[in-house]
Amino acid sequence: MNRNVTLLWNGLIPENPIFRLALSLCPAVAVTTSVKNGLYLGIAVIFVQVLSSCTVSIFKSLIHPRIRIPAYVIVIALWVSVIDMVLSAYDPHTYEKIELFIKLIVVFAIIISRLELFASKEPLVPSFFDGLGMGIGFTFGLCLVSAIREFFGLGQIFGQDIVDLKFLVMILPAGGFFVIGFVMATFNWIEYKITGKIPASGGGH
Amino acid sequence: MKEIIKITISLTAICVAAALILGAVFAKTEDVRKKNQEKIKEETIQGLLGFGHGKKAPEDLKIFPVQRYVVSEPKATLLGYLVPLKDKGYALVTVDLAGKPLKAIPLKADAAKIADAGTRDAAVKEALPKDAKATYADTVYVANLGDKRLGYVVPGVTQGFKTFVNLMVSLNPDFTVTGIEITKSEEDPGLGDEIKRDYFKNQFKGKTLEILKTLKVVKEPLPTDYLVALDPSKSKATQDQIGQISEKHLKDDIYALTGATISSRAVTNGVKETVRKFVYRFGILADVMKQENVQAAF
């Protein structure tokens, strides 16, 4: 298979940031009360991840290895601020909905982890696909968790009433931990069924 | 030693480059952002007055902003209201803190100058004595339909669950609440954030000044028939039915949102306070304008 496609697939399932790498669990618990929130945050993360990965990949030779972490943080903060400003100017209605989360992306572990582990060593094109894959994987994780929580907690999907169900604990933070735990366990169980091996924790990081 | 210089230069260069990019983006987007924000504010005000959602505002709808300034003079603190006048001018009507009318100072300004915060502050400062300082406080909106008073839109702030909740309340000429809107809040999604939903906001509709005085938040489930009236988009109830149900529940307290009693209480108190202060201030302003014979445009 083409390496770029492998990288994309890798971020989606085998190294899914939330369920396999267990990174960025804080936002995964905090914002996944409705699919809409999860989707918006996920899309913002895709942009930040891809732009940061590309930037670091292009300028990697100029970044002194001893200050790489602060340099990465500045790159991430730069792109988050740019997206924040552009969105607040040109699409204030969407911005209103994700205003709360967008600034938090600066401290998402998944982004800096991809910069450190991948983009700082690889050329531009693979970095782009790795960032895109990780972003999509993260979005997929958020959407899955928030769909489960929204359905059981509010009886809704995407803000539409489906069943008359109000299991409030699912919407509260504790419910987030439950759902992520169960989905993670399901992923491990599927992998065990397919490969017959007990999965290593944390995807090796 | 050589390495530390290299590191310093490298990090400085990264910071400068990032700052330049951010500065350029800010310069490009700031004006658009401000313009869009003004537009949203205008839409919110019109929506609260009953226009919008496909219903176009009539031609003779006029919305007059009245800015409130806190004027600190060396000896006393006053309040100044920037009132548009009938003959196209503006006047700063000052009142002392006890509500005693002082005087109306004419202002050298036109509509464009008043619309921009910077030039407006300058115009107010120019009208005042040299040693006085004026600080902008807030803006209330007086809406007229032709020559008839349509209502008021009043902004308010309240302490929410974690941060402040900004809201806007619209009142009819008898100071009965006709609607509320949450303009800015950072409540928890799925919980406190529900204050933005229609079924919560509409509970305030129709509450008179008398009812507002004793309004509380109760931790009881929302009656099913009331929900139908509060969220008309989700039910097939006719206008008459909605009116009847709303009438029946008019004197009810506010039903707290599930899992967000603090946010519900915050909004309720915010609305109460906002209306109470506005009615008090507007009463004084009306008295002063009568006494000083200020011909306001509204």
Side-chain angles (χ1 to χ4, degrees), chain B residues 44-51 150-156 166-173 175-183 195-198 200-208 212 230 250 254 267 270-272 274-275:
Chain B
T44 313
I45 293 169
Q46 294 210 348
L48 276 170
L49 291 167
F51 309 109
L150 179 71
Y152 312 94
V153 178
V154 193
N166 292 48
L167 45 84
M168 273 192 174
V169 185
S170 64
L171 304 167
N172 72 6
F175 303 121
T176 299
V177 178
T178 54
I180 72 162
E181 197 63 59
I182 310 294
T183 46
I195 53 173
K196 288 183 191 155
R197 298 275 289 262
D198 281 346
F200 181 73
K201 288 188 300 191
N202 283 345
Q203 289 186 38
F204 290 94
K205 237 180 213 173
K207 301 278 191 244
T208 61
L212 267 187
L230 290 175
L250 184 62
I254 302 298
V267 174
V271 171
K272 281 168 74 171
T274 306
V275 174

Side-chain angles (χ1 to χ4, degrees), chain B residues 280-292 294 298:
Chain B
Y280 173 75
R281 284 175 188 153
F282 199 74
I284 291 175
L285 181 63
D287 283 350
V288 178
M289 289 199 303
K290 206 189 243 169
Q291 198 175 325
E292 295 288 316
V294 176
F298 46 80

Side-chain angles (χ1 to χ4, degrees), chain B residues 93-105:
Chain B
V93 179
T94 50
V95 183
D96 78 357
L97 286 183
K100 214 176 86 206
L102 294 170
K103 57 187 170 188
I105 312 163

Side-chain angles (χ1 to χ4, degrees), chain A residues 40-50 105 108 110-111 135 138:
Chain A
Y40 283 138
L41 181 70
I43 292 171
V45 167
I46 294 179
F47 275 102
V48 175
Q49 179 76 74
V50 169
I105 299 175
F108 280 11
I110 176 65
I111 294 173
F138 189 70

Side-chain angles (χ1 to χ4, degrees), chain B:
Chain B
M1 198 57 209
K2 228 177 131 199
E3 203 183 4
I4 190 92
I5 295 168
K6 243 182 175 170
I7 289 175
T8 314
I9 292 172
S10 163
L11 204 49
T12 311
I14 293 170
C15 288
V16 168
L20 284 178
I21 296 174
L22 284 182
V25 175
F26 180 80
K28 260 237 148 7
T29 57
E30 185 58 8
D31 280 349
V32 186
R33 190 183 66 86
K34 267 196 187 146
K35 226 178 258 166
N36 272 330
Q37 226 162 30
E38 272 312 300
K39 218 175 102 201
I40 288 181
K41 200 170 176 187
E42 218 165 88
E43 278 169 12
T44 313
I45 293 169
Q46 294 210 348
L48 276 170
L49 291 167
F51 309 109
H53 294 295
K55 204 169 137 192
K56 248 196 110 180
E59 292 269 313
D60 53 354
L61 171 73
K62 284 210 184 83
I63 298 171
F64 301 100
V66 176
Q67 288 86 4
R68 188 165 63 96
Y69 277 86
V70 179
V71 181
S72 330
E73 284 183 351
K75 276 185 197 151
T77 305
L78 329 163
L79 295 176
Y81 293 92
L82 193 57
V83 180
L85 298 177
K86 225 170 209 145
D87 49 5
K88 303 263 179 242
Y90 288 84
L92 190 71
V93 179
T94 50
V95 183
D96 78 357
L97 286 183
K100 214 176 86 206
L102 294 170
K103 57 187 170 188
I105 312 163
L107 225 62
K108 274 181 263 158
D110 52 16
K113 226 172 171 183
I114 296 293
D116 182 78
T119 49
R120 185 181 64 221
D121 288 354
V124 170
K125 203 167 162 18
E126 204 180 301
L128 288 166
K130 275 230 154 54
D131 48 359
K133 224 176 79 193
T135 320
Y136 169 75
D138 54 20
T139 309
V140 300
Y141 301 88
V142 181
N144 275 10
L145 207 53
D147 286 334
K148 250 184 76 199
R149 180 64 42 84
L150 179 71
Y152 312 94
V153 178
V154 193
V157 190
T158 179
Q159 170 69 52
F161 187 56
K162 281 177 296 198
T163 53
F164 290 106
V165 175
N166 292 48
L167 45 84
M168 273 192 174
V169 185
S170 64
L171 304 167
N172 72 6
D174 306 325
F175 303 121
T176 299
V177 178
T178 54
I180 72 162
E181 197 63 59
I182 310 294
T183 46
K184 192 163 175 263
S185 70
E186 292 187 10
E187 302 301 287
D188 290 332
L191 298 165
D193 202 45
E194 297 277 296
I195 53 173
K196 288 183 191 155
R197 298 275 289 262
D198 281 346
Y199 74 87
F200 181 73
K201 288 188 300 191
N202 283 345
Q203 289 186 38
F204 290 94
K205 237 180 213 173
K207 301 278 191 244
T208 61
L209 211 50
E210 240 1 85
I211 299 174
L212 267 187
K213 267 180 197 156
T214 55
L215 194 69
K216 296 193 300 292
V217 173
V218 286
K219 276 191 178 187
E220 279 168 32
L222 193 71
T224 3
D225 65 328
Y226 196 18
L227 186 62
V228 171
L230 290 175
D231 207 347
S233 62
K234 280 192 187 157
S235 63
K236 290 191 187 75
T238 61
Q239 214 62 42
D240 280 357
Q241 281 169 318
I242 290 172
Q244 265 174 22
I245 301 168
S246 304
E247 183 75 39
K248 188 179 134 202
H249 290 282
L250 184 62
K251 292 202 168 139
D252 284 15
D253 283 323
I254 302 298
Y255 294 95
L257 292 163
T258 331
T261 315
I262 294 176
S263 303
S264 314
R265 209 173 276 153
V267 174
T268 310
N269 289 338
V271 171
K272 281 168 74 171
E273 271 299 285
T274 306
V275 174
R276 191 183 64 80
K277 281 186 187 150
F278 171 72
V279 171
Y280 173 75
R281 284 175 188 153
F282 199 74
I284 291 175
L285 181 63
D287 283 350
V288 178
M289 289 199 303
K290 206 189 243 169
Q291 198 175 325
E292 295 288 316
N293 206 11
V294 176
Q295 296 289 326
F298 46 80

